[in-house]
Amino acid sequence: MTLIKCKECNSEVSSKADTCPKCGIRIASKPIKLGKIFLFLLFISISFFIFYQKNTPTFSPISSDQSTLGTDKLTLVKPVEKNLATATDKALNNLLPILTAPFHRPFQYIGMSVASASKSTGIKPNKVNNITVDSKEANLYLEAEGNFISFVEIQLKKTSPCSQSVKFDPEPILGALSINPSELELVRNQTHLYVYSDHKRKLKVSVTCLYDGAPISVSFSSKYYGM
């Protein structure tokens, strides 16, 4: 036991006593140790941090075919923006060239007169007014109905050979043709086929592997738009 002196009567008093037994004056309060205060604050801080981590949603960019909900937490998903820039980037990442005229944005030929299409492509039409343009990168086919182009199909040779049993990403194909995916509405999706509606131009757009071993083709038609 430690003895201390009473400040009032100078008698020796136990350090644990609340008052002096001789004069009755209250002994000064015991100082609180700083070490205990620090440990208490540290415990509170750690407890708060653990609680915050368990109850804060985590951000995780995921692909469109992955689940966005976990069993024990909510995953916030940043939408992947589809535009012409991302489509052309995908094309280049897949070693597909960004095609130029006359293969550039081939939907432009729909509704064009055969004479104008012949002038734009530099190719004369055949006996039934159809036009075929071929290069080492692509094959473009313009089908006429009367004196106007009503159907367009283009094959990208570097995508050969495709397989109807293997799913592919259509965005690089659209990017190679400088077509903005955000302008298209996906209406049908199969392993070997993507069908879109281009509401701005009132066109049906199909990206497909027609048969095993063929290059992937993209076709445009106003006749079957909305069907």
Side-chain angles (χ1 to χ4, degrees):
M1 179 179 69
T2 304
L3 295 177
I4 60 175
K5 285 189 176 183
C6 174
K7 292 183 179 180
E8 184 66 23
C9 64
N10 210 31
S11 299
E12 290 186 341
V13 184
S14 171
S15 60
K16 295 183 178 180
D18 293 329
T19 59
C20 176
K22 186 174 183 180
C23 66
I25 193 168
R26 186 173 180 79
I27 304 299
S29 299
K30 302 171 189 177
I32 300 174
K33 294 183 179 179
L34 293 178
K36 291 183 178 179
I37 296 176
F38 174 77
L39 290 174
F40 176 74
L41 292 177
L42 180 63
F43 174 77
I44 294 296
S45 299
I46 293 174
S47 299
F48 177 79
F49 177 78
I50 294 173
F51 175 81
Y52 180 80
Q53 289 294 318
K54 286 184 176 181
N55 291 274
T56 303
T58 56
F59 169 76
S60 175
I62 62 176
S63 61
S64 59
D65 59 346
Q66 290 178 302
S67 175
T68 60
L69 291 178
T71 57
D72 59 347
K73 64 183 178 179
L74 173 67
T75 302
L76 301 180
V77 181
K78 182 179 180 181
V80 179
E81 184 180 358
K82 295 182 179 182
N83 53 40
L84 183 56
T86 58
T88 53
D89 284 346
K90 279 190 173 185
L92 294 174
N93 290 338
N94 283 273
L95 304 179
L96 294 177
I98 307 302
L99 300 179
T100 57
F103 307 103
H104 173 80
R105 297 169 72 83
F107 56 76
Q108 64 182 304
Y109 297 108
I110 295 290
M112 184 181 289
S113 68
V114 173
S116 296
S118 176
K119 184 177 180 180
S120 297
T121 60
I123 302 295
K124 292 183 178 181
N126 61 17
K127 293 180 179 180
V128 292
N129 278 343
N130 297 334
I131 297 173
T132 300
V133 186
D134 191 63
S135 75
K136 65 178 182 179
E137 296 175 338
N139 180 276
L140 176 66
Y141 172 70
L142 309 180
E143 184 177 284
E145 188 173 327
N147 292 319
F148 297 91
I149 304 299
S150 61
F151 176 81
V152 175
E153 182 180 72
I154 183 168
Q155 295 181 333
L156 281 72
K157 294 183 178 181
K158 284 198 172 182
T159 61
S160 176
C162 67
S163 172
Q164 290 195 322
S165 61
V166 177
K167 198 172 186 66
F168 65 90
D169 184 359
E171 283 190 54
I173 312 299
L174 297 172
L177 300 175
S178 298
I179 296 174
N180 190 346
S182 67
E183 296 180 352
L184 306 178
E185 179 192 0
L186 181 63
V187 295
R188 187 149 57 100
N189 178 7
Q190 295 176 256
T191 303
H192 67 289
L193 171 68
Y194 294 83
V195 179
Y196 299 89
S197 287
D198 183 342
H199 299 299
K200 182 179 179 180
R201 302 173 183 87
K202 299 189 182 305
L203 298 175
K204 176 183 176 181
V205 182
S206 300
V207 185
T208 182
C209 174
L210 291 173
Y211 55 90
D212 290 346
I216 293 174
S217 64
V218 185
S219 62
F220 307 84
S221 172
S222 59
K223 186 175 182 179
Y224 299 105
Y225 167 72
M227 298 178 62

